[in-house]
Amino acid sequence: RLGLQRAQEEGASWATLSPFRAPRSKSSARVPLGEEEFRRHTAGLELPVVALGGLDLTDVIACKRAGSVGLAVSGALFESTKPERLLESFLEAWREAL
């Protein structure tokens, strides 16, 4: 939370907050935030925050409900055999969510 507040105070345009889920590409000792903790960390901020960490298509609604302005999905795209189609699916799911 303090890092996000500091980023906002220093004029950042946006920030990422992770891990929303367990990272796909590496091990991490950090406990995944999930929807409720993400929301708690970003509550009251004006700074747009993007969810990062272990995300796939099933996380779009949870990220949006948590207040995320977007998703960083590099792991899912790198693992995909059809990244262009997967990205289109993410964009469609984001537009349709909530």
Side-chain angles (χ1 to χ4, degrees):
R1 170 99 180 142
L2 293 176
L4 293 173
Q5 288 175 325
R6 182 175 174 195
Q8 180 172 287
E9 290 166 4
E10 292 181 2
S13 298
W14 58 279
T16 59
L17 181 57
S18 68
F20 194 90
R21 300 281 186 239
R24 302 164 70 91
S25 61
K26 59 187 169 210
S27 62
S28 174
R30 294 179 61 199
V31 175
L33 295 165
E35 187 177 335
E36 293 301 317
E37 280 298 301
F38 188 96
R39 184 180 303 115
R40 189 178 70 74
H41 283 289
T42 59
L45 293 175
E46 294 178 22
L47 178 70
V49 181
V50 174
L52 171 67
L55 301 169
D56 62 33
L57 277 170
T58 64
D59 296 305
V60 170
I61 291 174
C63 288
K64 208 162 192 179
R65 273 195 310 240
S68 177
V69 297
L71 293 82
V73 294
S74 59
L77 292 173
F78 285 132
E79 293 172 358
S80 176
T81 58
K82 296 183 179 179
E84 303 88 356
R85 178 63 195 131
L86 181 59
L87 183 55
E88 289 171 1
S89 296
F90 269 109
L91 291 171
E92 181 179 332
W94 186 261
R95 283 190 297 266
E96 293 178 4
L98 308 175

